Amino acid sequence: MSKRDYYEILEVSRTATEQELKSAYRRLAVRYHPDKNPGDAEAENRFKEAAEAYSVLSDSEQRQRYDRFGHAGVSSGSGAGNWGAQGFGGIEDILGDLFGFGDVFGARAGGAAGQRRSAAQRGADLRYDLEITLEEAASGMTAQLRLPRLEACEVCKGSGAAEGTEPETCSTCNGAGQVRYQQGFFSVARTCGTCRGTGRIIKTPCENCKGAGRIERERTMEVKVPAGVETGSRLRIAGEGEGGVQNGAAGDLYVVIHVSEHEQFERQGSNLYSSVPVAFTQAALGAEISVKTLDGAQSLKIPAGTQTGTVFRLRGQGMTALGNRGRGDLFISVTVITPTTLTREQRRLLEQLAEVETHELEDKGLMDKVRDIFG
Ligand SMILES: [Zn+2]
Ligand SMILES: [Zn+2]
């Protein structure tokens, strides 16, 4: 799965200003937001894609690296337990200061326009890049993740207000988070400056979280990786992303799988490919050789007259297909090795063979000779 260019995703030029990026992202986020496109996986993907693109390009340092190195410059790279810095930005964070959330996603705020909206905000989705071996991908595994994330503060339950107190409704906007101006026939809404759009004022901040409502914690958790995953497979773990603000729901955690290169096997779907060297005498006379499979060494009979490039197929010795749909095959291609050093005895025998071949060549055509020796 190749990743699309971030500028292309946001439909902006490479010289787009911060403000252009922001409005491009806002436009796409509104169009593809899951709340507005329930059950539409394509829209959800577009939404996540735009969020990822924006989270990178809106950070000037990451944007520079992306401009120079592309996706490789901003992906969190390899290494198990590497923390992906580009957690999908919460839409509320980005839209919150642009306009009242309740106006765009009326359904979520749960009321008609003008009604008091909830200050609750869903936590951001997080991304965790997990590198596993081919063997682990074949058998499935349980991974231990160490995950730093923002969690709702347990002292104030995410409200940000000190124990025994509660956030007060902002008196400037009456808790709406925005102030309306009448301009002729139109009513124009602006984010309330007093509460910065939250609709609430915290007079005495919670000491534990300094009024933020959330605290950074490092969590250890186990995640079951099913057999058959491949690079790019994403596991969604609901509710294990960042904690929400003001009793908002937690975001989701996405574990993105990277299967490391294997020294022996190359994978294509559920099939595996490898090669094995055989001595030219084994190839000529036929032999039983030992080959590596995912399940260990196994013997393979090669017939007399085997050529370099001959491929043997071991059914059911490939990768497990995702969803327990059996296993693919293992294809082993043979490389015939010509000896580079010979003992005196070997040289004597080969010279004898060469002599027989030369005599035969005198009697027959070249093609017949080849057929006799190798056929
Ligand atoms: Zn707190
Ligand atoms: Zn206010």
Side-chain angles (χ1 to χ4, degrees), residues 27-84:
R27 198 177 61 243
L28 293 170
V30 169
R31 193 189 311 162
Y32 294 119
H33 195 279
D35 284 3
K36 297 184 87 189
N37 305 276
D40 183 346
E42 168 71 16
E44 192 186 332
N45 281 339
R46 298 291 288 268
F47 178 74
K48 295 236 163 74
E49 209 177 40
E52 187 184 323
Y54 181 72
S55 79
V56 169
L57 296 185
S58 61
D59 178 325
S60 61
E61 202 177 295
Q62 290 212 62
R63 182 177 179 181
Q64 264 181 24
R65 260 186 288 144
Y66 179 75
D67 287 345
R68 289 185 64 193
F69 305 113
H71 289 293
V74 291
S75 86
S76 58
S78 58
N82 211 334
W83 171 247

Side-chain angles (χ1 to χ4, degrees), residues 278-293:
V278 298
F280 83 120
T281 45
Q282 290 179 309
L285 302 170
E288 197 164 320
I289 60 169
S290 170
V291 294
K292 281 185 191 144
T293 74

Side-chain angles (χ1 to χ4, degrees), residues 277-286 302 305-306 308 335-340 342 346 350 353 357 373-374:
V278 298
F280 83 120
T281 45
Q282 290 179 309
L285 302 170
I302 59 169
T306 294
T308 275
T335 308
V336 177
I337 304 297
T338 307
T340 48
L342 296 171
Q346 283 169 335
L350 281 176
L353 175 63
E357 284 176 12
I373 295 170
F374 293 109

Side-chain angles (χ1 to χ4, degrees), residues 11-338:
E11 298 164 5
V12 293
S13 74
R14 300 189 79 84
T15 55
T17 64
E18 229 167 272
Q19 193 53 48
E20 282 166 351
L21 286 171
K22 197 175 223 173
S23 33
Y25 173 49
R26 187 183 66 179
R27 198 177 61 243
L28 293 170
V30 169
R31 193 189 311 162
Y32 294 119
H33 195 279
D35 284 3
K36 297 184 87 189
N37 305 276
D40 183 346
E42 168 71 16
E44 192 186 332
N45 281 339
R46 298 291 288 268
F47 178 74
K48 295 236 163 74
E49 209 177 40
E52 187 184 323
Y54 181 72
S55 79
V56 169
L57 296 185
S58 61
D59 178 325
S60 61
E61 202 177 295
Q62 290 212 62
R63 182 177 179 181
Q64 264 181 24
R65 260 186 288 144
Y66 179 75
D67 287 345
R68 289 185 64 193
F69 305 113
H71 289 293
V74 291
S75 86
S76 58
S78 58
N82 211 334
W83 171 247
Q86 69 278 41
F88 305 122
I91 186 169
E92 299 87 346
D93 300 341
I94 289 137
L95 301 189
D97 63 333
L98 292 165
F99 45 71
F101 204 58
D103 278 358
V104 190
F105 308 113
R108 174 178 290 194
Q115 256 187 353
R116 186 170 296 182
R117 72 201 180 91
S118 160
Q121 291 177 5
R122 184 178 178 273
D125 290 339
L126 295 178
R127 170 190 170 128
Y128 189 100
D129 290 281
L130 179 68
E131 180 154 354
I132 62 174
T133 64
L134 189 71
E135 283 86 352
E136 287 170 334
S139 60
M141 61 159 332
T142 302
Q144 302 273 350
L145 309 188
R146 268 181 44 221
L147 181 70
R149 68 180 178 194
L150 285 170
E151 296 184 352
C153 168
E154 65 276 12
V155 174
C156 61
K157 303 281 182 293
S159 77
E163 256 182 309
T165 74
E166 277 192 19
E168 287 170 26
T169 302
C170 171
S171 58
T172 307
C173 61
N174 286 322
Q178 49 183 232
V179 187
R180 286 177 180 278
Y181 304 89
Q182 197 70 35
Q183 278 190 352
F185 293 111
F186 302 101
S187 138
V188 181
R190 285 267 158 74
T191 301
C192 171
T194 311
C195 62
R196 278 174 296 149
T198 63
R200 296 177 185 208
I201 301 285
I202 296 166
K203 286 248 168 73
T204 327
C206 164
E207 280 182 19
N208 195 39
C209 63
K210 309 282 181 285
R214 297 190 296 184
I215 283 185
E216 181 155 343
R217 285 271 154 70
E218 187 168 285
R219 288 285 169 197
T220 311
M221 67 179 84
E222 287 193 342
V223 171
K224 278 214 158 24
V225 178
V229 290
E230 53 194 340
T231 293
S233 296
R234 292 203 316 181
L235 311 173
R236 174 171 169 268
I237 298 133
E240 293 291 353
E242 280 191 353
V245 173
Q246 311 265 22
N247 292 324
D252 298 333
L253 170 65
Y254 288 87
V255 177
V256 181
I257 303 292
H258 302 264
V259 180
S260 38
E261 298 258 312
H262 197 280
E263 58 175 14
Q264 180 75 28
F265 303 113
E266 212 168 290
R267 175 184 186 178
Q268 264 173 43
S270 59
N271 290 331
L272 290 176
Y273 297 82
S274 83
S275 64
V276 64
V278 298
F280 83 120
T281 45
Q282 290 179 309
L285 302 170
E288 197 164 320
I289 60 169
S290 170
V291 294
K292 281 185 191 144
T293 74
L294 268 186
D295 310 303
Q298 194 180 306
S299 76
L300 172 69
K301 266 204 182 101
I302 59 169
T306 294
Q307 305 287 313
T308 275
T310 304
V311 175
F312 296 94
R313 177 182 198 162
L314 301 184
R315 286 183 193 277
Q317 302 278 327
M319 288 295 287
T320 314
L322 200 57
N324 270 333
R325 287 179 291 112
R327 283 179 70 172
D329 302 330
L330 170 58
F331 294 86
I332 295 176
S333 99
V334 162
T335 308
V336 177
I337 304 297
T338 307

